Amino acid sequence: MERTSYSYRFGSAEFDEARFELRVAGLPVEVERRALEVLSYLLRHAGEVVTKDELLREVWAGRITVDKVLPNAINKLRRALGEANAGHISTQARLGYRLDGAVARTAVGRQLASELNFEAGQPVSGRENFILRQQLGKTRGSEVWLAAHAKTRETRVYKFALDSDHLRSLKREATLLRVLHESLDDCSHFIDIIDWNFENAPYFLECEFGGQSLLEWASAHLAQLPVDQRIAIFLQIADAVAAAHSVGVLHKDLKPANVLIADEGGTMRVRLTDFGSGRLLDPDRLESLGITQMGMTVTESLASDPGSGTPLYVAPEVFAGQAPTIQSDVFALGILLYQLLSGRITQPMTSGWEQNVANPLLQEDIRNATDGNPERRLANAGELAARLRRLDTRRIDAERLAQQAQEAQRVHEALARTQARRPYLIALIAALTAGVVLAVVLQQSAVRARNATAAELERATAITRFVNEDLIGRSNPLVNAKGADATLRDVLLAARNRVATRFAYQPRSEATIRASLATLFNDIDLWTEAEAEARRALTLYEQTQGSTSDDALSARATLARILSRLGRSDEAQSQLGTLESELAGRETTAQSRYLLASVRSTYLIGRADYSGAIPELQAAVKALLEFEPDNIVVLDTLRLDLISCYTFAAQHDAARKEAQQLIAEAGQREEDSALTIALTKLAIVRALEEDHAEVEALLLEAQPVIVERLGDNHSRHLRLLNELMAVAFRRADWVKAMHYGQLVHERARLKFGDAHSLTYTTLANWGRSLHEAGRPQEAAIRLREAHTHLVEISGVDAPQTQDVAFVLASVELELGRSTAAQAVIADLDAEILEAGRSTGMWSFGIDALRGMLLLQQGNTKSAKPLLESALKGMESEEDLETPGRIYADARRALTSIR
């Protein structure tokens, strides 16, 4: 197919499109090719605003360019045209450029219009039964064609791409449309993908035909359409966008050209198309749906192309470099609503736009949807659609308020007229006027409250249905496929999969549910699922309420705590730092103190810094009692952690006192508190270590309750088994200690995986038991592995790393590996060890290790005073069992010197 080439005259300039030659005042002017291509495109659209995005797409074919490549080309054109003609190219602020003034056009020849050399009547390559009928769109390197089956006349749309950049766009569109079709129950407002060819050029995406573009349709039909029908068309667009957002899909290029409209039996049906610039808010969704990540790289982020989209519809914050969000799509919807209502399709909203939209309520909706500040903008497409659907109700309310205001004014004026004749009525006038005005204000408040109440009622209804149908209902053996064997885990996982559908138009409600699921998953040790829900809740809260809202801060705190439990201390610390900076600019409240203290304590516990965690837990308990004293579940959890930290920090009196209080309070509650009491017994045993029989009895009392309520492989039961191993240690029952050590490690590795610090802490405990049992070779293998991984995961200065290093140094010395022992001993720090597990003897233990190392190296003179000092320090303590093996080894070493 060919197109006509023209010679254009404007001012004293002439541009020959066929020869690509510019003349000014009859003389040829040298200008680089790209600048002339810009001029050619501007001339073909003379008098129209041509966006920067269009010019970059047409002239540079979407290739990556420097920031100022287009302004540079415009400047070169203006210089070439000369002062007399440069003014014909005007800059449209933040949009693009326009060629102004009279332009004379003369046909001078024909040239190919299709880079792909397609023409009507040609069969589609690889789909020979389909014949190209009409070109629907074209950019450099890509074309869109309507094709029809040669026999059945069935129509299809083919989107062709010639290069890798446009192929990536096709792949992205295919991926996102698959997400929509596989995630939504109703996909009637989205184009169906039929097939694709992504292997051989020309690449294409084969789709159903969805009708004319809104841009094309509006030119023939919009003018005669009444306002209510225009709103009905827009509501289909808004519903489609809201549905896409509900499954985490951003469109990012909403405009009339990407909205299709078709007359289906007298009913106008709208579909969204061209998701080639779109993004997923949650890329992990692809994996959960089993969809290949075509056109969307692993490193691709929402902020990777903030300038994408057509400038006329791009939100101001995206222009400023922020990442696109749900609210940036809402901005584009607001522009579309204005264009539909005003009949000015493709025209920007400029000063005085309200004159083109008569209804003040619709003006308010457009203003709220296109607010330049995203924090004031409508939160989502569903909210905009809901406002439009309540237009009649809002109009009645507005009329009633206007009548009441008029009545108030009439009363005021009537009473004021009597003021001169009856001065004593002055006070009455003021009182009556104030009363009427107050009534109007109260009525306005009532309307706002009613609207808020309606929204909250809708939100409460959705949450109630979720609880009744998706949680309680799904736990019914007649409903759940697992019958009576369905566990809490099964029910929660099944319910989670229905959240997106249930709350498709209620992102705040979805965020609330996902935040609750994150907490529940965390409690039953489904930490990966808990992390995913916490991240999704945080994203939704940030989009709907802002990153500094109470809900967003709480979700971030939950995520930080989960990351700490997962052993990902660097990520947890990063989230903690963000939380601290977000709270820095706010007024300090009991809730903010609780959030910070609870996250800090979990982070410190994850690093085995129990002494450091104690004041944070105390602060968290105090703050929680101030702002939410009835939250017994969270309060109990904090107190259990506090008891454990007291015991590990050797503050045994404080641990026993707190445990006795908690058991006494739990025993008096009306609800079943057996699990709380069992967990308290588990937390307190370290503070009762002198009485081995009592400790073992408490653990065996707690075990059946914990197993029954939480499961055999819950982290609390693993801790109980670990405490039984500790009892065996203190009794020097090495056979039982080795058995428990191996059992706990194997379960921990299965549960937490190879990237969690607990996996290697338990491996070290197993190695410690082998060491004590007189099997140093086997102990060394496990301790070396544990130490290496803990250094990688937590760092050499983490308390648990130091603890393992201490035992490893002892084993290396016993095996005569002086060099290896020296490297480990050099990193030991008594203060860090005391913070992790307070004994009062770590400094003596380290001196003992150094003394034994010097002895092995033949430095008896320096070894003897170190060993004597270390033994004297350890003998001053009543408890010689911690570290008992070191004491015995040091005693033997000193005896050998004497």
Side-chain angles (χ1 to χ4, degrees), residues 269-331:
R269 180 179 174 189
V270 170
R271 295 179 179 87
L272 277 187
T273 187
D274 198 354
F275 282 83
S277 297
R279 286 291 183 275
L280 267 179
L281 292 171
D282 180 11
D284 292 339
R285 188 173 187 83
L286 293 177
E287 184 176 352
S288 66
L289 293 172
I291 296 175
T292 305
Q293 217 167 9
M294 294 190 300
M296 307 179 77
T297 64
V298 176
T299 58
E300 200 168 52
S301 69
L302 282 172
S304 61
D305 60 340
S308 66
T310 304
L312 181 59
Y313 304 88
V314 173
E317 68 273 12
V318 179
F319 263 123
Q322 296 182 28
T325 63
I326 284 175
Q327 287 181 292
S328 54
D329 271 0
V330 171
F331 181 90

Side-chain angles (χ1 to χ4, degrees), residues 659-728:
Q660 289 165 359
Q661 290 178 351
L662 183 52
I663 290 173
E665 291 172 17
Q668 294 176 359
R669 296 172 187 164
E670 294 182 2
E671 65 271 15
D672 183 1
S673 299
L675 180 59
T676 299
I677 293 171
L679 292 175
T680 307
K681 292 177 179 178
L682 171 59
I684 195 60
V685 291
R686 285 287 175 103
L688 307 173
E689 57 187 7
E690 297 87 353
D691 191 336
H692 308 320
E694 181 183 359
V695 169
E696 188 172 37
L698 280 175
L699 290 170
L700 294 177
E701 285 176 15
Q703 187 173 29
V705 178
I706 292 173
V707 170
E708 178 189 359
R709 304 294 175 87
L710 300 177
D712 185 64
N713 203 41
H714 192 276
S715 57
R716 299 282 188 171
H717 187 232
L718 293 187
R719 179 176 169 185
L720 186 144
L721 294 174
N722 200 62
E723 293 297 344
L724 286 172
M725 180 184 70
V727 172

Side-chain angles (χ1 to χ4, degrees), residues 361 387-400 447 450-451:
L361 292 176
R387 290 174 66 91
L388 293 174
R389 288 190 168 98
R390 289 190 289 105
L391 203 58
D392 288 341
T393 303
R394 292 165 59 206
R395 177 183 53 77
I396 293 170
D397 290 340
E399 289 173 354
R400 183 183 300 114
V447 170
R450 185 184 67 192
N451 293 340

